[in-house]
Every structure is written in structure tokens, then in C-alpha cells.
Amino acid sequence: MLGLMMDRQLTITSIMEHADRYHPDTEIVSVTNDTPRHRYTYAEAFGRTRRLANALIDYGIGAGERVATLAWNDYRHFELYYAIAGIGAVTHTVNPRLFPDQISYIINHAEDRLVFVDPLILPVLEKISDDLSGVEAFIVLTDEENMPDTDLRNAQSYEGFISRHADRIDWPELDEKTACCLCYTSGTTGNPKGVLYHHRSMVLHTLIGISPDGLNLSVRDVVMPVVPMFHVNAWGLAYGAPAVGTKLVFPGPKMGDGATLQALIEEEEVTYSAGVPTVWLHLLKYLAESGKEVSTLKRVIIGGSACPRSIMEELEDSYGVYVNHAWGMTEMSPLGTVNTLKPGMLELPREEQYAVRMKQGRPLYGVEMKIVDDDGNELPRDGQATGLLKVRGPFICSEYYREDTPSDVHDDDGWFSTGDVGSIDAEGYLQITDRSKDVIKSGGEWISSIDLENAAVGHPDIAEAAVIGVPHPRWGERPLLILVRKEGGDAGRQEILDWLKDRVAKWWVPDDVVYVDEIPHTATGKIQKTELRKRFKDYVI
Ligand code: AMP
């Protein structure tokens, strides 16, 4: 027997309409290339979103067509998120930090007809525009006055594009399984793969994301997403904030600039933020140098890569900012786990609390997870067994967009292989120890490069650490520690090895330490281990 409840579709449009009606006065503050501090309300944002939607329809963008954005976190990107999806088209967010040939591949593969681009990102597109033959026009995210000179095809300003259009629209009634946004993962091998979200998955992800043990958003918060809107939907914050009426503060192109972040936090009274570990390193460095405060900031979510304990401790002990560690992936919309302490754990001694809090956290409702051995057998949830992590759920990608070759990560039984390796303890806390392709196997046993890296960056002289496995005649592989020192730091090889001896199992201690000026990163800020392995392929321990 079917239930007798209303059949209202779960759409992004409904989030926008809710915010427009119940939170019209909530502010959105942005840093952009043309305005140091742009400020308006949700009501104004959605008025302009309707103009943009009309402009897109007038241009001829139809249901299901992909429209690309190469943009920072700001109010115009926010409008694009809602207008494109609202008319039944697909917001294709493109990461401007990818290699140019990856950007062309992605835009061509998605068959984007229109590309919305930030003025600061124009040079990237100008270099590859000949390869983008399917793109009919480029809309530059600025006004007429600040429109840069460019020879990009049919370039025009965003403000010009929307100006003639009405701010009234009857949004189409969309089926909740209509595609709404597209984001390509940038693996280090092979071509990027598209993850095509639908309205339903995005709304479910939003509802679960805003819950107390998820991102925990409130109408009384002021949220500054430092995680980019061009990659995995800013972890859902651009949907979660309007759903509850939270004020949004967008740092625009200044996401990596500690001074801008600190000023935005203090002046806009930001209570809550989210970003990858390196963002917090920039902010902490600036705070230490300037002696300034982040007095309103209460909480940050750190994920995207493992959060080093040193960042967590400095934020908390010096600035009173509580850190929740989180884990997720593009394929998961992206939230998978968030680390919150269970009842009674707050009373645990500090070291025991940190042992729990350094883990990636417990799955949110809607995310099923298990770890398996090489033969696919499920391993015990005892915090000891380590295996390949698989996930399943209504906001997890079921297949990649227009991938001709079957992917080896989607199993026949409906589980998705994350490519991450880790353990799950009896309380349900996930601990990621490695990417499967980065694991170091020494004498048949796994050594966690993430644990080693975390321990190494805990040393006061070390800014960043990477561990890779290098061939060893006796053990098969042994860990090599690659370090970048902080300015003025002079810790040598032996000092670091002694530091590690007190913090990790003896047989994990790397056989050697190499100092470099810089560790290579991917376009999403993760350490590029393939590059390091290439560089150190002949290294003899
Ligand atoms: P992406 O799809 O680009 O967001 O990357 C997802 C991958 O980032 C995951 O599969 C993990 O390997 C890594 N990752 C994300 N969050 C964490 C975390 N908290 N700790 C360790 N690795 C993480």
C-alpha cells in the first residue's frame, strides 16, 4: 500500500524559494575582482537569479544543457548555481586550477555551449579557446565598466547579459531526478571523470549536511565557505546556508590569503567556516605574524586531506576555534563522514579525545560504508583491520557521465570503491590511512603515510610533509619522508627521526628524510604523490 503524502519534488529551486520567502534580509557578502566588498540580501540575490534564468532561456539554453562556470566563491557564482539548475539545465563547475588540457577536455566532454568566467581566469581560457570549438560565447563575471579586453568569442559582461531581463519567472516544475550540476574529478591518471548530481541527491545532501552532527548550520551563524564553489559544490554550503537562512561570506579570489580571511571573519562576524588544511595554515601564519584575532569564529570543518593535529590544536588552544575533521569525495556530493564526539567522549582525557578526533569521523545518515580485503570480503569494524573503503547511498554517484568504458569502481552489487584505505572502529569512526595507490607495504604490512605525515608536520619546524614508498631489497618498500621546512626552521634529519620515534610504531619510522623547497599539489590541493614517486624513483635507501 502506498502512503498518502504529498508528492512534492525535492529540488534546488525549492531551497531558493524557501530562502527568498523566509530569509529575504539575510546578507551575502563577497570579495570580487571588481568590488572589494559586495553586499546584498538573499531577496536581491534571487531577484538577479531570475533575471539570469530569463537571460539563459532567451539565449536558448534548454533543459539538460550544460553551462560551464570557471569562477571563485562569490555572489555571481551563487546566482549561477541557482539559475542554471532552476531552468532544468546543468551547472558545470570547472576547476580553474586544472592543467589547461584538462580544462579543454572537460569543457569539450561536457559540450558546454556557454562559459561564465571570472576576469582573473580569462588568461587561462584565452590560451585554450581554439580547442573549445563548441563554446559559443564567454560571459565575463563583471560589469560593463570593468569588462577587460579579450579576443574570446562573443565575450560580454555578466551584468550586460542579465540587464535587459525581467526579474519574474515561473520556475519549471522539475522532476527531482533532473540533473542539476556536474563536477569532474581530477584523478592523477587518465582523463577527468564527470559526476552528475541530481536535484534530489543535492537536496538530500543539503538536509543531512545542515544537521547538528553534520555541518551544523543555523540561522544565527555566519558562514564563510573557503572550500571552492568550483569543486564539489563548496561541500554543500551554498545550498545549506539558504536552506536555513545563514549569512554567507564569500572570499572570492582571496581564498588563500590569510589577511583577507582574517578581515572578513572579524568585520562580518563569521562564526563558522570550512576548508582544506592548507587554508588554515595560511590563516594561522597570518595570525601569528600580525597578532590579530578571529574573535567571532567558533568552529571550522577541515577535510579534503587529513587534518594535521598541529592545525587542530593551534586553532583551538590559541584562538578558541573548535575543529571538526571531515572526509568526503566528489563522487559523494561530497560529505561522507564528520567527526563529532559521542556522549561521554568530552570527558575523556585530552590525548584520548584527540585519538578519536584525528579520525575522519562517523558516517552521516544516508552513507553506508564498509571495508573489504583484496578478495572483496568485508573486514571487521574493530579499528584494527584495514582495507579498501566502499560506500553506498542516495547522494553517491552511480556511474560517471558519458564514460564509454565501464568503470572498475562501481561494483555490480551497487557499492562504490572509494580508492581510500582505512579502518572503521567499533564506535563507527572511520580512519583513512591512505589512498589505495599510495599505500606503503613494508615486509607485507601496511604503513600509513597519512599518520607519518601528520606526525611530521607536528614538529614546529615543519611546514609540510609527504611520505612515499621507495623500493627496498629486503622489505619490498620502505617509507621516504619528504619535508618542507617552515621559514627559519632548521630541524635536521636526526631530529625529525627522533621526533617520529616517539610518535609512531618503530618499524614505521622512515628510512630517510629529504628536504625540498616545495611539494607538488594537484588542482584540488592534494599532495601529488605520483609526481613525487617519479622524482624519487631512483632513490636508494
Ligand atoms: P575529491 O574528490 O577531490 O574531493 O577528493 C576526495 C579524496 O580526498 C578522498 O577520496 C580522500 O582520498 C581525500 N580526502 C578527503 N578528505 C580527507 C580527509 N579528511 N582525510 C584524508 N583524506 C581525505
Side-chain angles (χ1 to χ4, degrees):
M1 182 166 67
L2 294 178
L4 295 172
M5 304 306 281
M6 292 186 188
D7 203 13
R8 301 290 295 160
Q9 299 293 290
L10 301 176
T11 62
I12 288 172
T13 322
S14 69
I15 298 179
M16 162 169 52
E17 289 182 322
H18 175 82
D20 201 16
R21 172 142 309 156
Y22 296 105
H23 308 293
D25 302 329
T26 299
E27 275 189 313
I28 300 179
V29 178
S30 313
V31 175
T32 69
N33 187 46
D34 50 39
T35 340
R37 200 70 65 90
H38 178 275
R39 188 180 294 279
Y40 69 176
T41 62
Y42 277 156
E44 289 169 279
F46 294 125
R48 280 167 52 87
T49 300
R50 292 189 291 270
R51 274 185 206 287
L52 170 60
N54 282 321
L56 291 165
I57 292 169
D58 188 55
Y59 182 84
I61 296 296
E65 289 197 270
R66 280 76 54 208
V67 176
T69 66
L70 281 99
W72 311 114
N73 289 10
D74 67 25
Y75 68 103
R76 292 190 182 107
H77 206 179
F78 180 83
E79 292 164 10
L80 284 159
Y81 261 45
Y82 285 91
I84 300 171
I87 64 167
V90 179
T91 317
H92 174 201
T93 53
V94 184
N95 183 343
R97 294 185 182 138
L98 292 170
F99 292 117
D101 55 348
Q102 287 179 314
I103 296 181
S104 350
Y105 173 85
I106 286 175
I107 291 178
N108 289 330
H109 187 264
E111 297 180 345
D112 300 315
R113 284 174 57 201
L114 277 184
V115 173
F116 287 81
V117 54
D118 189 275
L120 293 173
I121 305 168
L122 268 187
V124 175
L125 286 188
E126 281 164 344
K127 280 193 207 103
I128 56 171
S129 67
D130 287 347
D131 300 334
L132 307 177
S133 52
V135 177
E136 296 162 10
F138 294 85
I139 318 290
V140 185
L141 295 167
T142 188
D143 52 23
E144 299 281 272
E145 203 182 317
N146 292 293
M147 180 68 187
D149 269 345
T150 175
D151 52 12
L152 284 178
R153 260 186 312 289
N154 300 323
Q156 61 171 302
S157 80
Y158 180 88
E159 298 302 328
F161 184 71
I162 68 170
S163 63
R164 291 175 292 105
H165 294 277
D167 68 355
R168 294 191 27 203
I169 194 170
D170 286 328
W171 293 108
E173 293 279 339
L174 299 171
D175 183 304
E176 62 186 15
K177 292 205 177 143
T178 306
C180 61
C181 29
L182 175 64
C183 181
Y184 282 71
T185 63
S186 47
T188 38
T189 52
N191 283 324
K193 294 184 179 61
V195 179
L196 186 63
Y197 311 91
H198 53 47
H199 282 258
R200 178 174 189 270
S201 67
M202 213 33 100
V203 171
L204 291 175
H205 182 262
T206 302
L207 296 177
I208 290 155
I210 58 183
S211 63
D213 290 333
L215 301 179
N216 188 7
L217 275 185
S218 157
V219 68
R220 292 179 300 281
D221 275 314
V222 177
V223 64
M224 179 172 71
V226 194
V227 49
M229 290 171 77
F230 61 68
H231 183 60
V232 276
N233 321 304
W235 295 354
L237 289 167
Y239 301 115
V244 292
T246 312
K247 172 176 166 180
L248 272 164
V249 178
F250 286 130
K254 300 285 191 176
M255 282 192 297
D257 178 32
T260 305
L261 297 184
Q262 186 275 335
L264 284 172
I265 292 168
E266 282 293 300
E267 291 161 27
E268 301 301 332
E269 301 185 343
V270 171
T271 59
Y272 176 70
S273 188
V276 297
T278 36
V279 163
W280 308 109
L281 280 180
H282 291 306
L283 180 66
L284 286 170
K285 182 163 181 276
Y286 176 74
L287 294 178
E289 283 165 7
S290 65
K292 292 194 175 156
E293 294 290 321
V294 281
S295 57
T296 54
L297 190 64
K298 296 287 167 279
R299 215 156 39 87
V300 299
I301 302 274
I302 302 186
S305 323
C307 176
R309 176 165 167 171
S310 50
I311 295 186
M312 219 183 246
E313 283 189 312
E314 199 175 341
L315 277 168
E316 290 179 10
D317 297 345
S318 308
Y319 303 99
V321 180
Y322 192 83
V323 174
N324 293 99
H325 195 189
W327 164 89
M329 313 180 67
T330 308
E331 287 89 338
M332 301 177 73
S333 298
L335 295 175
T337 61
V338 177
N339 194 318
T340 49
L341 292 179
K342 287 177 74 175
M345 288 182 168
L346 274 173
E347 285 78 54
L348 291 173
R350 184 180 167 100
E351 282 309 304
E352 284 176 44
Q353 270 194 42
Y354 267 104
V356 178
R357 295 186 51 207
M358 290 307 297
K359 297 188 176 187
Q360 276 69 11
R362 288 154 45 82
L364 297 174
Y365 165 69
V367 178
E368 290 174 77
M369 56 175 58
K370 64 178 180 183
I371 46 168
V372 298
D373 65 17
D374 289 347
D375 300 321
N377 303 312
E378 185 164 354
L379 291 165
R381 294 160 193 255
D382 58 6
Q384 301 297 319
T386 312
L388 177 67
L389 179 66
K390 294 191 169 197
V391 292
R392 189 163 73 169
F395 42 89
I396 295 170
C397 158
S398 62
E399 58 185 280
Y400 291 112
Y401 180 59
R402 286 190 180 163
E403 269 291 303
D404 299 335
T405 43
S407 125
D408 57 356
V409 293
H410 286 104
D411 298 350
D412 295 340
D413 57 0
W415 288 83
F416 170 77
S417 296
T418 61
D420 285 337
V421 172
S423 62
I424 302 174
D425 67 21
E427 308 266 17
Y429 288 87
L430 166 74
Q431 179 160 26
I432 302 282
T433 48
D434 260 305
R435 288 292 291 163
S436 57
K437 54 187 185 329
D438 295 337
V439 290
I440 301 166
K441 227 169 191 181
S442 177
E445 298 288 338
W446 285 354
I447 294 178
S448 164
S449 62
I450 293 184
D451 281 0
L452 279 173
E453 288 157 8
N454 276 343
V457 288
H459 189 286
D461 282 1
I462 301 305
E464 196 171 18
V467 175
I468 55 168
V470 288
H472 188 277
R474 176 154 178 219
W475 301 110
E477 261 186 335
R478 287 296 300 159
L480 172 69
L481 176 61
I482 301 158
L483 295 176
V484 179
R485 285 196 188 97
K486 280 188 187 158
E487 248 171 60
D490 61 1
R493 178 180 182 279
Q494 202 49 50
E495 185 176 336
I496 296 292
L497 294 180
D498 290 343
W499 169 270
L500 290 177
K501 271 179 202 141
D502 295 337
R503 287 166 177 82
V504 298
K506 222 186 233 142
W507 62 278
W508 282 24
V509 174
D511 286 38
D512 210 352
V513 180
V514 185
Y515 291 92
V516 293
D517 292 336
E518 208 182 330
I519 285 176
H521 291 97
T522 66
T524 52
K526 298 180 210 308
I527 294 173
Q528 210 169 12
K529 296 216 173 159
T530 41
E531 193 50 43
L532 287 175
R533 278 194 288 267
K534 254 189 245 160
R535 209 185 285 176
F536 291 98
K537 75 177 182 342
D538 299 324
Y539 199 86
V540 182
I541 286 190

